[in-house]
Every structure is written in structure tokens, then in C-alpha cells.
């Protein structure tokens, strides 16, 4: 496997383009530990995480990516203490209020945010409707579970009367339908698992696990991730060109 090629002299925008990095996804883990280290409540970690999320999403757009997905609230996160859950809901609502300032992002909420209450359901839908057709795509996973997403797709197909389905049928009925699959998934916070995130779409994604806690994850860490991605050889189950032709 070709790894660790040195791309240090090449601008990151060029690497994004040349490597075909269209879609980056983040599992934003480590907010709680970030807060604990500072003797702050967990909610302060989520606030810092939400601020950082805006910075990182804008930066990914600036360096030429087409799509970004963030895991903001899983279907399991509802089990957290009420105070923490409510703080995350408030952050979502204030994020939506500020999102009007972004003029080129098409927002999509993946998951079932509407199940979390009428206000969240209405606000998320309004933002999706008012930003449709914009060039940079942002998926915010909120009340999202990867298995539930696949079940949702299959149920939609069954409701259409299908008795057998193809991979394309499933892809076309996921919450992410019509958007590219992630090329790269970055998980911060030193855990090495996928946690029910984009299970179907991640089939050929490159994975990067970082020890950095999400609120500390910076634009230069994005640059490093892009360089790492560009150094990898993606074969999608096939062979490198040189190996196919017998060349070097
Ligand atoms: C995991 O860290 C993070 C979450 C459960 C929430 C992620 C949410 C944000 C970054 C902000 C959300 C943005 C919007 C728009 C609402 P953790 O709490 O599990 O951290 P820990 O593992 O250190 O405890």
C-alpha cells in the first residue's frame, strides 16, 4: 500500500482537488473531556464544540470540498442527562438561527430530528427548504442512527411495493440520497469506532482517528487530514493501476 507520500509543499486546495476529496465527515467526539479538563460543565464543552464545528465546516468549504457531514446527536444521545440533552437542543436552535448568515450552504438534517419535538422539527425543515439548491452541502446528523437509516430506506421501498431491492435502491432512499458518499471520515477524541454513523455510506471511506478533542480540532488538523487522505491509495476493492498492468 502506498502511504505517507510527502505532500507538504503542495497547497491543501490543490490536494483536495487532485485527490478527489469531495466529502468529509466528522464524528465530533471529546466535548465532555475538553470541559472536564477545564473543570467546566459538559454543556460548556458542547458550546465550544458547536463553535468549532462552524469554523471547521466553513474551512472545508473554503478549501474546495463539496460536502461535509457532522454527527451532532445520535439516537442514543437522548439517554444522556436531561440538562445535557436540552443544552444540545438549544445549541441546535441557535445554530439554525445563525445559519441564515451562510449564503451558499444547502443544509440537510439527516436522522429524525422531528421526533425530538415540534420546534426542532419545524426549524430544521424551514432551514432545509430555504437553502435548497445551494452549492455546498452540509449534512447535520441529528437524532441519527446508521442502522435506523437503513431500516427507514428498506421500509420506504417496501411501501412502494418492492419485493427485492438493489444497492442503488437503498442508496436512493437513505437520508443522504443524492449527496456524495463520504470519502473521508475523521473521528476525534481518541476513540476508534464508528458508533452507528453512516454505516451504508462509509463502505469505501478512508478513516482517520485523531486523539485531539473536538473543540481543539483546528483548521491545520484538517490540512493534516487532507494530506493523509491524499497519501492513501484508494482501490475500492480493485488494484492500483501499476499492479494491473504489471508496471511499477
Ligand atoms: C460527543 O462528545 C459529542 C456529542 C455527543 C455532541 C456533538 C455536538 C457538537 C459538537 C455541537 C453540536 C452542534 C450543533 C449544531 C448542535 P462527548 O460529549 O461524548 O465527549 P466525551 O466523550 O469527551 O464525553
Amino acid at each position: 500500500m502506498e502511504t505517507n507520500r510527502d505532500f507538504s509543499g503542495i497547497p491543501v486546495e490543490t490536494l483536495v482537488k487532485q485527490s478527489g476529496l469531495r466529502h468529509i465527515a466528522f464524528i465530533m467526539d471529546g466535548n465532555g473531556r475538553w470541559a472536564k479538563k477545564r473543570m467546566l460543565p459538559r454543556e460548556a464543552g458542547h458550546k465550544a464544540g458547536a463553535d468549532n464545528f462552524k469554523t471547521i465546516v466553513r474551512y472545508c468549504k473554503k478549501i474546495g470540498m463539496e460536502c461535509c457531514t457532522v454527527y451532532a446527536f445520535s439516537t442514543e444521545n437522548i439517554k444522556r442527562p436531561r440538562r445535557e440533552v436540552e443544552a444540545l437542543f438549544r445549541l441546535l436552535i441557535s445554530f439554525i438561527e445563525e445559519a441564515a448568515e451562510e449564503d451558499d450552504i444547502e443544509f440537510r438534517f439527516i436522522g429524525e430530528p422531528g421526533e425530538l419535538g415540534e420546534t426542532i422539527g419545524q426549524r430544521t425543515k424551514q432551514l432545509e427548504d430555504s437553502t435548497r439548491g445551494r452549492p455546498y452541502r452540509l449534512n447535520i446528523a441529528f437524532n441519527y442512527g446508521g442502522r435506523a437509516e437503513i431500516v427507514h430506506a428498506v421500509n420506504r421501498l417496501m411501501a412502494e411495493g418492492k419485493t427485492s431491492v438493489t444497492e442503488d435502491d437503498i442508496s436512493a432512499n437513505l437520508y443522504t440520497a443524492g449527496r456524495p458518499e463520504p470519502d473521508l471520515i475523521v473521528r476525534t477524541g481518541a476513540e476508534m469506532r464508528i458508533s452507528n454513523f453512516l454505516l451504508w455510506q462509509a463502505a469505501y471511506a478512508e478513516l482517520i482517528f485523531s486523539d485531539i478533542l473536538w473543540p481543539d480540532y483546528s483548521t491545520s488538523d484538517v490540512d493534516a487530514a487532507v494530506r493523509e487522505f491524499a497519501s492513501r491509495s484508494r482501490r475500492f476493492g480493485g488494484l492500483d493501476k501499476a499492479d494491473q498492468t504489471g508496471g511499477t
Side-chain angles (χ1 to χ4, degrees), residues 166-180:
T166 63
E167 291 190 10
D168 285 346
D169 288 332
I170 303 243
S171 296
N173 283 279
L174 296 173
Y175 301 125
T176 53
R179 294 192 161 187

Side-chain angles (χ1 to χ4, degrees), residues 29-140:
D29 196 12
N31 296 343
R33 280 163 285 163
W34 183 93
K36 195 171 176 190
K37 269 170 65 179
R38 290 161 179 77
M39 292 193 288
L40 293 169
R42 294 180 58 82
E43 295 74 35
H46 293 312
K47 167 79 176 80
D51 290 343
N52 197 40
F53 145 71
K54 289 177 238 169
T55 305
I56 297 295
V57 165
R58 285 191 192 117
Y59 184 69
C60 291
K61 178 172 68 142
K62 178 169 166 259
I63 62 175
M65 292 185 214
E66 292 169 31
C67 186
C68 181
T69 301
V70 292
Y71 204 1
F73 193 84
S74 76
T75 43
E76 287 71 37
N77 288 152
I78 197 80
K79 296 181 211 148
R80 293 191 176 200
R82 196 186 157 109
R83 174 181 150 151
E84 182 171 346
V85 168
E86 284 176 353
L88 283 163
F89 290 179
R90 279 196 302 275
L91 282 172
L92 176 69
I93 297 295
S94 63
F95 171 77
I96 290 174
E97 277 159 9
E98 287 168 26
E101 292 162 23
E102 308 288 342
D103 56 7
D104 52 3
I105 301 183
E106 184 188 71
F107 291 87
R108 188 181 294 182
F109 292 87
I110 61 171
E112 297 293 344
E115 287 178 1
L116 300 172
E118 209 173 313
T119 309
I120 291 184
Q122 282 172 356
R123 302 281 181 93
T124 50
K125 171 112 188 15
Q126 267 164 13
L127 187 62
E128 288 179 341
D129 290 345
S130 62
T131 61
R132 200 156 284 134
R134 293 176 176 183
Y136 180 73
R137 279 101 172 260
L138 175 60
N139 300 317
I140 300 176

